[in-house]
Amino acid sequence: MSLLIKGGRVVTAADDYIADVFVDDERISLIGLDLDLPADRVIDARGKYVLPGCVDPHTHLDMPFGGTVTIDDVEAGQISAAFGGTTCHVDFCIQPAGATFAEALAEWRAKADGKQTIDMGYHMAVTDLVNGGTLEELATLPGQGITSYKLFMAYKGALMVDDETLYRTMEVASKTGALVMVHAENGDVVDLLVREALAAGNTSPLYHALTRPPEAEGEATNRAIQLAHLAGAPLYVVHVTCKEAVEPIARAREAGWDVWGETCTQYFFNSLDDIARPNFEGAKYVYSPPVRDASNHDVLWNAVRGDALSVISTDHCAFLWDGQKTLGKDDFSKIPNGGPGLEDRLKMIHHFGVNEGRITLNRMVELLATNPAKLFGLYPRKGSVAVGSDADLVIFDPSREVTISASTHHSKADYSLYEGTKVTGAPDVVVLRGNILVENDELVASPGVGQFVRRARFGEELAQSKTASPA
Ligand code: URP
Ligand code: ZN
Ligand code: ZN
């Protein structure tokens, strides 16, 4: 199918210009002025932005966690993503205790089979190098297109790894061309603080935040940075929330170390006031690291405007409030950690970041599409509007007014972290490899159009090809 997108304002991380974009056979084949070519479909994009499809490098779909399973499976999560202008994501394949990495991947691939509306890849979350996967097997993953290893420094007794596992994984990454990702909180200290709070009778959601202080995030962030430097591995710190974690990342980057940081939409907007809401409403805002004091909102905007943080993801990890979050009604430590957001990232960052003058339009594209594509081996196939790239495009109406609400979002979550927020600017048409996914607020593609993408090793480019190659 060919597609001619006429007269839009093409915005990439570097450029901003009016042009026509011609798409043929899944890729962008021509960009120019007043293109006069026959096409199966012509879209008038005058007055609209033509953006690269957003790339979300941090999602949890169909994931067992906290005594339950995330409410959005691959089908629901990816449909929600498509409505939000995200056309590619990298989800976490979590190694079950005792399982090999091959077994873990088979289990996660089965969850996605036939359900994909957008393109995707996996990070491998390493949990066990003693009884399950081996260092040798870990080293084979980049050759299979799984080019990032994730380690949890928190969630003691569940996903948390010790420093030896962390460091050994970093050593492997330094040799195989994988990017190491860390959830940086000091899990031992958090676990102790949680037990102390519960023993003192402090059971409400607010104590989730109070037992995971910014210092625990700052300490683990700095530890991971130093260990990665020692091992010679590139490091990506996920979901950074506060000054204590931004500062060591900024220092490392200023020193030229291979360190990058990500924050997530919710950390710009939610705060301790939300998790303290009465009648167990606060449980909606239980995710880790936790909401912080609102003074950190500006810290994060400054960090993404400058060079300290390089990506904004969603960490979409959706649970129902009624029936899943309520598992922790009498004990905050039993509230499943995570919140929805795949659909909201572009609209929220465009409105509060670009419209309100905190970041430029180019920087928004860089944070939501180009940098995640580059860091996770998807560029230049994904993350830009360029000849030869996959035709993953968002035709975005900067003047469209939308109210964000659980009553209209496509996640199965029964609440929104931004309920009632009015924004100006929203996707009109979302395109994946030339296939129209969303138009006029309707899903017009069927699950099955999305594909697995074999990602390139860290620092390498993903060759442009006719179609995404299955991993
Ligand atoms: O609370 C969160 N963030 N849940 C998802 C798992 C993680 O730590 O990223
Ligand atoms: Zn995490
Ligand atoms: Zn996460």
Side-chain angles (χ1 to χ4, degrees):
M1 142 133 182
S2 58
L3 188 62
L4 181 59
I5 301 167
K6 296 283 292 174
R9 183 172 155 193
V10 176
V11 184
T12 67
D15 295 312
D16 188 338
Y17 57 96
I18 305 285
D20 298 345
V21 177
F22 184 65
V23 172
D24 192 22
D25 214 5
E26 305 208 337
R27 289 185 298 166
I28 298 170
S29 63
L30 200 58
I31 302 176
L33 280 177
D34 301 324
L35 297 182
D36 186 14
L37 295 163
D40 297 321
R41 175 78 200 275
V42 179
I43 297 178
D44 180 1
R46 282 172 301 171
K48 316 266 170 77
Y49 302 155
V50 179
L51 310 175
C54 294
V55 176
D56 192 337
H58 189 157
T59 59
H60 303 276
L61 303 181
D62 206 348
M63 180 178 84
F65 196 47
T68 182
V69 180
T70 56
I71 193 67
D72 285 332
D73 66 358
V74 171
E75 183 166 342
Q78 292 196 348
I79 288 173
S80 181
F83 275 94
T86 291
T87 51
C88 184
H89 71 126
V90 192
D91 204 77
F92 292 92
C93 169
I94 314 273
Q95 178 201 12
T100 65
F101 298 121
E103 287 164 348
L105 276 172
E107 190 179 322
W108 247 259
R109 290 286 298 269
K111 292 172 194 263
D113 212 19
K115 293 183 172 180
Q116 287 180 237
T117 300
I118 64 172
D119 286 353
M120 74 182 298
Y122 286 119
H123 312 287
M124 178 56 72
V126 176
T127 62
D128 179 1
L129 286 173
V130 177
N131 299 306
T134 60
L135 295 170
E136 291 71 30
E137 194 195 2
L138 191 59
T140 68
L141 296 180
Q144 302 170 50
I146 312 290
T147 56
S148 38
Y149 306 144
K150 166 76 179 288
L151 299 119
F152 291 91
M153 300 169 77
Y155 304 129
K156 191 171 181 181
L159 302 175
M160 178 172 146
V161 296
D162 58 18
D163 284 353
E164 180 174 337
T165 305
L166 177 61
Y167 188 71
R168 282 181 180 276
T169 302
M170 288 170 167
E171 285 184 326
V172 174
S174 75
K175 297 190 187 88
T176 60
L179 177 61
V180 175
M181 309 168 76
V182 286
H183 171 134
E185 287 184 290
N186 186 315
D188 281 321
V189 170
V190 167
D191 184 62
L192 174 63
L193 296 178
V194 168
R195 283 185 277 123
E196 285 176 355
L198 292 173
N202 296 320
T203 60
S204 74
L206 174 63
Y207 284 89
H208 172 76
L210 300 184
T211 55
R212 309 183 83 101
E215 291 86 345
E217 186 181 334
E219 183 280 327
T221 302
N222 189 49
R223 183 165 22 117
I225 289 170
Q226 300 300 330
L227 294 179
H229 188 60
L230 186 63
L235 180 74
Y236 179 92
V237 184
V238 302
H239 51 39
V240 170
T241 71
C242 57
K243 181 167 136 310
E244 288 76 357
V246 168
E247 283 176 352
I249 293 169
R251 262 199 312 276
R253 291 181 60 70
E254 278 159 24
W257 293 12
D258 280 346
V259 173
W260 291 265
E262 157 207 281
T263 189
C264 313
T265 323
Q266 55 272 27
Y267 294 113
F268 295 105
F269 304 105
N270 297 159
S271 74
L272 289 171
D273 292 344
D274 293 305
I275 204 167
R277 290 186 194 204
N279 304 320
F280 203 61
E281 276 266 314
K284 295 176 179 174
Y285 305 89
V286 167
Y287 41 74
S288 295
V291 289
R292 301 294 185 198
D293 181 283
S295 66
N296 282 291
H297 295 167
D298 277 347
V299 171
L300 296 178
W301 282 118
N302 289 336
V304 295
R305 185 170 46 250
D307 183 53
L309 296 181
S310 309
V311 172
I312 303 172
S313 75
T314 64
D315 192 7
H316 182 93
C317 183
F319 296 103
L320 294 172
W321 178 74
D322 187 4
Q324 291 189 294
K325 291 283 183 180
T326 44
L327 291 169
K329 197 119 191 55
D330 303 316
D331 173 350
F332 70 87
S333 71
K334 296 197 167 62
I335 300 170
N337 286 202
L342 249 171
E343 195 163 340
D344 307 320
R345 177 177 62 147
L346 174 58
K347 291 191 285 279
M348 290 293 285
I349 299 303
H350 173 262
H351 183 85
F352 293 98
V354 178
N355 288 353
E356 297 199 348
R358 294 181 175 93
I359 55 173
T360 65
L361 200 49
N362 297 110
R363 182 62 175 162
M364 179 191 82
V365 170
E366 193 167 35
L367 291 162
L368 305 188
T370 316
N371 280 351
K374 283 184 174 170
L375 285 163
F376 292 99
L378 292 160
Y379 189 84
R381 282 251 308 270
K382 312 287 188 191
S384 193
V385 181
V387 170
S389 293
D390 284 359
D392 296 357
L393 299 165
V394 179
I395 299 169
F396 186 91
D397 182 350
S399 61
R400 193 166 147 209
E401 295 183 354
V402 172
T403 301
I404 295 180
S405 171
S407 63
T408 48
H409 73 194
H410 297 82
S411 161
K412 290 184 182 167
D414 57 357
Y415 71 96
S416 166
L417 293 173
Y418 318 109
E419 186 65 39
T421 303
K422 291 185 188 340
V423 294
T424 303
D428 260 3
V429 183
V430 180
V431 179
L432 173 76
R433 284 180 282 100
N435 301 286
I436 296 179
L437 300 182
V438 173
E439 188 170 21
N440 297 327
D441 268 334
E442 299 283 341
L443 183 71
V444 293
S446 309
V449 64
Q451 296 182 348
F452 285 97
V453 185
R454 289 175 70 102
R455 294 182 290 120
R457 290 174 203 263
F458 179 75
E460 292 179 8
E461 293 203 334
L462 188 60
Q464 292 164 335
S465 68
K466 203 166 146 200
T467 56
S469 45

